[in-house]
Amino acid sequence: MSYSSPRLHLFGRLVLLSFLLLGRHGYPVASFLLKGTLSGLLSSSSVKIKNGTDIKTLSVNGAYSFSNRVNQGSSYSVVVDANPVGQTCTVSNGSGTVNGADVTNINVSCSPNNYKVGGTLTGLIGTVVVKNGTTETQSLSSNGASS
């Protein structure tokens, strides 16, 4: 006697689909959003962040939210996928487990990369003022190494 029938296969598929949609206890699985705030990003720049395969490009400082929801009890790990040119961004509160509500404190903070500028001065007679950018200056009055 064979227990294989089209109806039995259909029933098995419906049970599997119900399990996937409703969870193992027969109730809908709650899902929540991952949210936060971006700060320090320079204008005309963007930073890419990701949670697993969910990638989001941010180009404006302020609140953001991932599009994909994360199931109750699932872990998340938000990291910087690509930094903007000339800046380094870091994520705070980027990992944890979803616990019954949207996660709202995944903050991304960007800051400019700093580079040390130096050289050797020769042939100086008097004093010279070296300007780095628009605000930082240094007066040099002797030959030799400078940083």
Side-chain angles (χ1 to χ4, degrees), residues 121-144:
L121 185 61
T122 59
L124 178 65
I125 299 173
T127 301
V128 66
V129 176
V130 179
K131 191 173 190 179
N132 182 9
T134 58
T135 59
E136 187 179 341
T137 61
Q138 183 176 6
S139 294
L140 303 173
S141 58
S142 63
N143 293 316

Side-chain angles (χ1 to χ4, degrees), residues 44-61:
S44 301
S45 295
S46 65
V47 57
K48 284 186 182 180
I49 58 174
K50 70 177 182 175
N51 177 51
T53 59
D54 190 4
I55 298 174
K56 182 147 187 86
T57 300
L58 306 174
S59 57
V60 176
N61 290 311

Side-chain angles (χ1 to χ4, degrees), residues 17-38:
L17 179 62
S18 296
F19 179 78
L20 292 174
L21 292 176
L22 298 176
R24 64 182 179 161
H25 299 292
Y27 302 106
V29 176
S31 61
F32 300 94
L33 291 172
L34 301 179
K35 302 177 179 183
T37 302
L38 169 65

